[in-house]
Amino acid sequence: MAARVNVNGRVSDGQHAVISVFDHGFLYGEGVYETLRTYNGQPFLFERHMRRLRNSAGMLALDVPLPDAQIDARFRETMRAAGLGDSSSREAYIRILVTRGVGELTYDPAACPTPTIVVIVKPNVDPAPEVFARGVMVALVPIVRNHPGSVNPLIKSNNLLNNALAMQVAVRRGAYEGIMRNYKGELAECTQSNLFIVKGGAALTPPNAAGLLPGITREFLFEVGQELGIAVRESVLRDDDLFGADEAFLTSTTRELVPIVKVDDHQIGAGTPGRVTSALLDGFRRKAQALTLSSLGASQRA
């Protein structure tokens, strides 16, 4: 099954989906996005993703012209075109992008009267089972996360050059992900995910003030931890905290929780996925399944 793309309400395959070269998302990177996945054919934590999308857009003075219900309808229309959704055994990867739209070659937002809305849907590809069973190696990279006073990391922007440069370093080192520090030398986040360490049975993640994008999975994990009786909290973290951690893991929408067993040449804990990481992953999956099954049941009764 190939990707299907919805550009301003028109669905096509990936080869024929087009936007104008005068779209300011292409010209200047002016736009925001969200990535979702489905469980049981239902977009997971849809409302939370839409809240963050609108918050990001607001920080760019960018209008999101559709209400959530119409965005949901576009998701589902595009999923059906891709052969995914309620009746499919395959789960979907969904990305929505909202750009400033087409306009003259100027930074003036008034030049773009109509935002562009793109929805991309394709089959979701889970990490290989051995990723969860054995854990991964990540790299601590020298690329510094954007300063909040320049391009605020709270904006989930289409302009991902900072992340891309950091990930290029990680790829050259043969790493699964790259960990970035902020301008103060504190750990911030990974290039495509949030970072957690486990110390003394508690899962710790850098605070928003460290200059990171507050991930939806990261946020959800606080609730999972509370249900499991595992402390999940924010804490300023530095290199020594990571190297001295009992366990570490990363979180993202499409990868759930991935155990980190090595950072460059430094082994984390016992060098295998830890008990707390495994418990949180199992709890996350159970809660995700329960919530989406409940949503599916409600939609079928409606």
Side-chain angles (χ1 to χ4, degrees):
M1 288 180 284
R4 289 294 182 269
V5 185
N6 187 319
V7 180
N8 293 324
R10 181 179 179 180
V11 179
S12 64
D13 59 30
Q15 183 178 357
H16 296 94
V18 295
I19 62 166
S20 169
V21 295
F22 293 101
D23 192 294
H24 283 210
F26 171 74
L27 288 171
Y28 307 126
E30 283 193 86
V32 296
Y33 77 101
E34 284 290 326
T35 299
L36 298 81
R37 63 155 294 168
T38 64
Y39 291 92
N40 300 303
Q42 303 301 302
F44 183 50
L45 301 178
F46 170 81
E47 293 82 5
R48 302 189 194 197
H49 280 283
M50 291 306 99
R51 177 196 67 204
R52 190 173 65 178
L53 179 76
R54 295 182 190 281
N55 287 343
S56 293
M59 296 177 76
L60 298 182
L62 171 62
D63 182 41
V64 181
L66 299 180
D68 286 0
Q70 290 186 30
I71 292 175
D72 181 73
R74 286 201 184 178
F75 280 8
R76 295 178 188 277
E77 177 188 15
T78 315
M79 286 166 60
R80 286 192 296 271
L84 301 167
D86 296 353
S87 60
S88 173
S89 60
R90 295 290 305 275
E91 300 293 357
Y93 167 105
I94 307 166
R95 176 172 287 207
I96 178 172
L97 305 97
V98 182
T99 75
R100 185 77 68 192
V102 177
E104 296 296 326
L105 300 179
T106 172
Y107 291 145
D108 184 357
C112 303
T114 306
T116 297
I117 299 179
V118 177
V119 175
I120 302 171
V121 172
K122 61 178 184 142
N124 188 65
V125 179
D126 294 321
E130 56 264 28
V131 166
F132 299 105
R134 301 175 187 171
V136 299
M137 185 272 278
V138 301
L140 193 54
V141 303
I143 304 297
V144 177
R145 191 68 176 103
N146 283 335
H147 191 292
S150 57
V151 179
N152 196 324
L154 290 174
I155 304 170
K156 194 168 176 68
S157 165
N158 292 344
N159 189 331
L160 293 167
L161 187 57
N162 183 231
N163 308 68
L165 290 172
M167 190 61 193
Q168 288 172 19
V169 175
V171 168
R172 288 195 292 270
R173 294 186 190 172
Y176 184 83
E177 249 282 28
I179 299 175
M180 306 172 73
R181 305 177 186 91
N182 63 18
Y183 68 99
K184 295 185 285 188
E186 301 163 349
L187 301 180
E189 61 182 338
C190 302
T191 70
Q192 303 172 81
S193 50
N194 288 116
L195 174 68
F196 284 79
I197 71 165
V198 177
K199 193 69 176 178
L204 311 176
T205 187
N208 291 353
L212 55 88
L213 180 76
I216 301 300
T217 301
R218 172 185 179 274
E219 174 188 275
F220 190 66
L221 207 61
F222 284 82
E223 301 165 29
V224 173
Q226 185 174 27
E227 292 183 5
L228 296 176
I230 297 173
V232 180
R233 62 177 183 267
E234 294 182 341
S235 178
V236 173
L237 301 177
R238 297 178 175 83
D239 292 8
D240 287 346
D241 298 306
L242 177 61
F243 297 144
D246 302 323
E247 307 171 30
F249 60 90
L250 59 85
T251 62
S252 79
T253 290
T254 57
R255 294 182 286 188
E256 302 174 325
L257 282 71
V258 172
I260 296 170
V261 297
K262 197 174 183 182
V263 180
D264 293 312
D265 295 328
H266 300 268
Q267 178 177 293
I268 301 300
T272 57
R275 176 185 59 83
V276 172
T277 301
S278 297
L280 287 170
L281 175 58
D282 289 345
F284 173 90
R285 287 173 169 170
R286 287 195 303 270
K287 192 171 176 66
Q289 290 289 333
L291 286 175
T292 49
L293 283 171
S294 175
S295 174
L296 177 60
S299 66
Q300 291 174 341
R301 290 191 298 270

